[in-house]
Amino acid sequence: MASAAIFSSLRRRRSPSLEAFLAPVDLSGVALVQTLASISTEVVSCFTSVRFSFQRKNARSLIRKIEIFVVLFEFLVDSNWGSSRSRRRSSVSESTALLCLKELYLLLYRSKILVDYCAQSSKLWLLLQNPSISGYFHDLNQEISTLLDVLPVNDLGLSDDIREQIELLQRQSRKSRLYIDKNDESLRESFYSFLDGFENGEIPNSVDLRLFFVERLGIRDSKSCRTEIEFLEEQIVNHDGDLEPTGSVINGFVAITRYCRFLLFGFEEDGLEWRIENPKKPRKGFVAQEIGDTFITVPKDFVCPISLDLMTDPVIISTGQTYDRSSIARWIEEGHCTCPKTGQMLMDSRIVPNRALKNLIVQWCTASGISYESEFMDSSNESFASALPTKAAVEANKATVSILIKYLADGSEAAQTVAAREIRLLAKTGKENRAYIAEAGAIPHLCRLLKSENAIAQENSVTAMLNLSIYEKNKSRIMEEGDCLESIVSVLVSGLTVEAQENAAATLFSLSAVHEYKKRIAVVDQCVEALALLLQNGTPRGKKDAVTALYNLSTHPDNCSRMIEGGGVSSLVGALKNEGVAEEAAGALALLVRQSLGAEAIGKEDSAVAGLMGMMRCGTPRGKENAVAALLELCRSGGAAVAEKVLRAPAITGLLQTLLFTGTKRARRKAASLARVFQRRENAAMRSGVYGFVGNSNGNRDGSFTTDVSVPISISISVPVL
């Protein structure tokens, strides 16, 4: 347990936690002494020659103390201490010595972790944590002093020289005081002074920044600077809720370091490292990581549609959709006024806890052996809240953006690629970032890069455009920028990477949230065709981007004919078989079928009725609602032949009866209306003396009929007509 906890602490790059190292040690006698000798020797050999950036004096002092313990343990091993043949001392002193050695085991193990932490951590992080890490070293010194006071040195049979060394170590440990390096503290104060400068709207002098980063910290190239940034960003994501300094302050330091990276080192970059992780791929929380490690499939209803991660605090918004609280709060905070999943306008910004779903998630996690109640529960909300940008971060990012746009405008191809990537990253979070990036003039340059023959430059630019489009005011800037819309569609049609094509589709979805842009987007040559193709053949994420874009375009009545001509209707019908996008596809069809042209086109699709019925049978509550609404409109607007096809569909009556009792309020109304269409048709058939099948109550199991005659089937309706 101890090693697992320590590994977790190091993997997540957090400050060492004392609780991580406290574990029982089931060792005694010779085995214990040999283990102590091995650990202490390893610490000395591994870290004696290490050049520590910070905590140099504390680390060296601790290593020298451990060197003396190496001499002690080697002597005890050579004298076979703890074996039955060496036991001539009293049982009391032997018991005391054994207890002290076990405590030394823990102390050495913690010392190893602390020294390793100082050797491997980010320079800036060690600088920010300088006082607390100095406190860790002082605590270890105090424990060494206490252990040596209790250790029965005279009963261990030590030689005179070793005893003298132990006694000298004992005296030194008693005199040890908390040591905080003045030079390190001076550096830390300088770092905070830069933060204060940006907070007051004053950009620090470039000479001072170079002196601090290059000369005093030894950060001498762009790659080292980027490593420092990534390390600090990890602390914001992975902190325990008691991070000091706070996430907001660290965010400011990240912004300052990013600014210095481009100010001091320009665009030095290894071309092989231009491409970074997929920005749409969510950073998994620890719950998701644990699930991924154990190959457990998370139920679809437990996954947040925004983050694609297991929900820890599910809430319901005004449209009835459920999201994780942190994700939807961020969505609303960024200025959105629509539902991310359905595109419907939000009546208000209130969110209501979905306690029923949360209980189900807890039960599922318990049954699957996944921890849910520990640190994962509150970390997402606290992490986001604590990392909200300060004025210093905003000002530093603005200064960085001005440099990036300069290189976007007239830099080399490599510099433009890196600049587009950094714009993309800055635009990932915060409406402030998105606003001033666009205001500074980034959109025209990104638009030009959409036509680049460099695959990475194109992918970065279209993804940056996607991130910028999330801010409402930027939508108009993008749409009004020359041929920017056509360029985005061009990337969708023939982008150089799959990710670029998918992100182009997502950008169109974002832009189509504005009603007046829907028709403009749909009429662009090859736009609907490319979305339809992506929905048919794309990756799961690509299909999701395509179907949401097609759904938004379907909400404009003038786009119906374009959806039919471009193959959008056919692809939506085919998507009814795909669980991941079926609900959105049914929603789009329910919109298109309201027009007679759309109803006729959908009715001509051989699998349309069967696909909608399949959604009624196995879909989500919203999917069933959309499916029955589409079938109702098919009967009303699709003509007699289509209505006959719907009413004669196998199992339709049973599905309607089920919806009347278990569907959503809207689904029950639509099912009742469709049932009335059945009854009117039956009544007309009875008056004309011709009976026709409207169900398969007398059919065999595969839906085929066993006779040509049936009696009319009536459906009890208790729901008012829409």
Side-chain angles (χ1 to χ4, degrees), residues 22 119 208 226 295 307 471 489 495 498 644:
L22 299 179
D208 295 336
R226 179 156 54 88
F295 303 99
S307 68
Y471 183 55
V489 173
V498 173
E644 181 73 14

Side-chain angles (χ1 to χ4, degrees), residues 50-67:
V50 171
R51 182 179 178 83
F52 293 93
S53 300
F54 297 99
Q55 301 294 334
R56 288 178 289 271
K57 183 174 180 178
N58 282 328
R60 295 298 177 205
S61 175
L62 181 59
I63 292 172
R64 285 195 296 271
K65 290 180 173 67
I66 295 175
E67 287 176 345

